[in-house]
Amino acid sequence: MIIGLTGENCAGKSTVAEYLMKKGFYYYSLSDVIREELKAHGKPVTRENLIARGNELREKFGPGVLGTKIAQKLEKDKNYVVDSIRNPAEVEELKKLGRFFLFYITAPSEARFERTRARRREEDPQTYGAFVEIEKLEIENADRTKQNLKGTFALAQKKIVNEGDLNELHDKVDTALAEVSDEFKLARPSWDEYFMGIAKVVASRSNCVKRKVAAVIVKDKRIISTGYNGTPRGTRNCSEGGCPRCNKFTESGKNLDECLCSHGEENAIVQASYHGISIKDSVIYTTFSPCLLCTKMIINAGIKEVVYNLDYPMAETPMRLLKDAGIKVRQHKVG
C-alpha cells in the first residue's frame, strides 16, 4: 500500500512519515524532486524556492508531474509513505497505482507557528502574522499548475489532527491504517480503550447500590490513581445500608446533600493526595462525565483532560465549567 501525506506546514507530516518508516514503509517525498532541480540549477533550497520551482515544473510538464515522477519509482511488493503532496493532480497520479490512501495531517495554526519557531530556520517567518500570510498563498489557487493545498486536503480519506503528544499521534495513525487496510488491523486496544476498560473494571469494586462509577487518573500513559464510588473509608458500605439516600433509591438529582457516597473521580483525586502523588497535568478517565462537585475538584487539582464513557444526567453545568477552565473534554464510548 501507499500512504500519501498532505497538510499544512509543521502539522507533523514528517513525524508521521518517520513513524510509518519504523513500520517498514519506504519513504519518498515529492519535495525531493524539487530539491534535486534546485541543486542542479545552483539555487538555495528555501521554502519560497521550493514553491516557485514546483509551480514551474507543474506549468511545464503538467500539474501531476511530481506524482508521476515518484510513481515511477514505486515497486508493487513494498509499502510506501509519500510526503509533501500539495496538488490534487499529484493525488490522481498516485491513485492510478491502485493502492493509494491520502492522509491529511493538520494542527491548530498557533501550534504550527510555535513548531516553526522552535526549529530556528532563518528563512521561516518570524511573526505569526507573516506565517499566516504565507499560508494563504499556499492553501488555494485557481491555477491548476500551482500549489493547491485546500483542493488536496479535500481528497484525503483520513484526517489526523496532531494536537496532543507523540503517543496520541501514533495512536491516531494506527487507527487510520487499520481503517484503510486489514493488514494493519489493531491487535491491541488504543490507549483510550485500555484506560477506559480499566476504569470499568475498577467500577466493579463500587459498593454503591444505585450506580457503579469509577475513575482512573493517568500521567505519561501510566496509571497513578484510581477511585470508585461508595461510602468513606472505615464506614459501612452503601450496599450494606451505609447510605440511607441510595438505599431509598431516591430520584437522581434529589437530596444530594444526604448522600454519604463519594464519587469515583472524587476518590481518585483524594487517594492521590492521601499518598502524596501530584496529579497536575494528568488525564482522568471516568465511566460517567463528572458531576459539578467532581468538576470543581478536577479543575482545582490541575487535571488537564477529561475522557468519559457515558453522560452524567446533570452534565450541562459541569461541561460548561470545564470548558471555561480550558480543560479538554472528550467522550470515548466502550461497550
Side-chain angles (χ1 to χ4, degrees), residues 19 117 130 138 145 151 208 211 221 231 247 252 257 265-266 279 314 331:
Y19 182 59
R117 293 183 64 188
E138 299 180 9
T145 64
C208 183
R211 179 186 289 125
K221 296 295 185 289
T231 46
N247 280 267
S252 294
D257 58 329
E265 303 95 323
E266 178 184 359
I279 58 175
M314 297 171 290
Q331 183 173 26

Side-chain angles (χ1 to χ4, degrees), residues 244-287:
R245 176 186 177 275
C246 289
N247 280 267
K248 291 178 184 176
F249 290 93
T250 304
E251 184 180 342
S252 294
K254 291 187 176 181
N255 302 332
L256 293 176
D257 58 329
E258 298 177 4
C259 184
L260 302 185
C261 290
S262 296
H263 289 188
E265 303 95 323
E266 178 184 359
N267 275 332
I269 292 170
V270 170
Q271 285 302 308
S273 175
Y274 184 86
H275 293 286
I277 300 170
S278 172
I279 58 175
K280 184 176 182 294
D281 295 327
S282 63
V283 178
I284 188 166
Y285 286 82
T286 178
T287 54

Side-chain angles (χ1 to χ4, degrees), residues 1 3 19-20 23 25 79 101 103 158 170-190 193:
M1 67 188 300
I3 299 298
Y19 182 59
L20 291 175
K23 290 178 173 288
F25 283 72
N79 292 326
F101 302 94
F103 288 4
K158 296 295 173 184
H170 290 171
D171 281 348
K172 290 179 178 180
V173 174
D174 286 340
T175 299
L177 282 175
E179 289 172 348
V180 300
S181 172
D182 289 338
E183 180 184 352
F184 291 93
K185 289 291 184 186
L186 298 178
R188 60 178 184 167
S190 68
E193 291 170 335

Side-chain angles (χ1 to χ4, degrees), residues 28-319:
Y28 279 102
S29 170
L30 270 63
S31 292
D32 289 340
V33 176
I34 310 174
R35 288 188 181 94
E36 292 170 4
E37 286 279 332
L38 290 175
K39 290 177 181 178
H41 289 79
K43 293 184 177 181
V45 181
T46 65
R47 187 178 178 188
E48 290 76 11
N49 285 346
L50 284 168
I51 293 172
R53 186 55 181 162
N55 289 338
E56 290 171 7
L57 289 172
R58 295 185 190 98
E59 186 173 353
K60 185 175 181 179
F61 299 106
V65 59
L66 301 181
T68 302
K69 286 181 176 292
I70 292 297
Q72 292 170 350
K73 299 181 179 184
L74 308 187
E75 301 173 13
K76 292 184 178 180
D77 60 345
K78 296 177 181 177
N79 292 326
Y80 292 95
V81 53
V82 179
D83 196 4
S84 303
I85 300 173
R86 296 185 174 91
N87 186 289
E90 295 164 353
V91 177
E92 296 306 321
E93 288 299 318
L94 290 165
K95 283 174 66 176
K96 291 177 182 178
L97 297 175
R99 59 194 193 280
F100 176 80
F101 302 94
L102 183 65
F103 288 4
Y104 168 31
I105 315 300
T106 188
S109 59
E110 293 84 359
R112 292 188 291 102
F113 174 62
E114 290 304 319
R115 294 171 193 168
T116 302
R117 293 183 64 188
R119 66 186 185 184
R120 298 181 182 277
R121 293 182 185 174
E122 289 185 7
E123 66 271 16
D124 283 336
Q126 299 304 305
T127 67
Y128 180 67
F131 178 82
V132 172
E133 285 303 314
I134 290 175
E135 285 212 326
K136 286 180 181 178
L137 300 175
E138 299 180 9
I139 290 296
E140 190 171 9
N141 201 309
D143 189 339
R144 291 182 66 251
T145 64
K146 297 292 190 295
Q147 191 166 284
N148 183 351
L149 290 177
K150 184 177 181 180
T152 307
F153 299 163
L155 298 176
Q157 284 95 338
K158 296 295 173 184
K159 178 180 178 180
I160 296 175
V161 181
N162 178 22
E163 58 183 351
D165 60 22
L166 200 58
N167 286 323
E168 183 178 333
L169 177 62
H170 290 171
D171 281 348
K172 290 179 178 180
V173 174
D174 286 340
T175 299
L177 282 175
E179 289 172 348
V180 300
S181 172
D182 289 338
E183 180 184 352
F184 291 93
K185 289 291 184 186
L186 298 178
R188 60 178 184 167
S190 68
W191 286 113
D192 280 348
E193 291 170 335
Y194 175 67
F195 291 125
M196 194 63 77
I198 291 174
K200 290 192 69 176
V201 173
V202 174
S204 67
R205 280 286 303 167
S206 168
N207 64 66
C208 183
V209 297
K210 290 196 69 177
R211 179 186 289 125
K212 296 183 182 298
V213 181
V216 171
I217 299 177
V218 175
K219 196 170 186 178
D220 298 327
K221 296 295 185 289
R222 296 292 180 268
I223 295 173
I224 57 176
S225 183
T226 66
Y228 52 82
N229 63 326
T231 46
R233 185 198 308 269
T235 64
R236 192 157 43 130
N237 287 337
C238 179
S239 56
E240 298 169 339
C243 178
R245 176 186 177 275
C246 289
N247 280 267
K248 291 178 184 176
F249 290 93
T250 304
E251 184 180 342
S252 294
K254 291 187 176 181
N255 302 332
L256 293 176
D257 58 329
E258 298 177 4
C259 184
L260 302 185
C261 290
S262 296
H263 289 188
E265 303 95 323
E266 178 184 359
N267 275 332
I269 292 170
V270 170
Q271 285 302 308
S273 175
Y274 184 86
H275 293 286
I277 300 170
S278 172
I279 58 175
K280 184 176 182 294
D281 295 327
S282 63
V283 178
I284 188 166
Y285 286 82
T286 178
T287 54
F288 280 84
S289 60
C291 70
L292 184 57
L293 172 64
C294 290
T295 292
K296 291 184 284 187
M297 294 184 71
I298 287 168
I299 294 170
N300 288 336
I303 292 172
K304 67 177 182 180
E305 183 175 2
V306 175
V307 185
Y308 67 96
N309 183 28
L310 300 175
D311 290 297
Y312 183 68
M314 297 171 290
E316 185 177 346
T317 299
M319 285 296 185

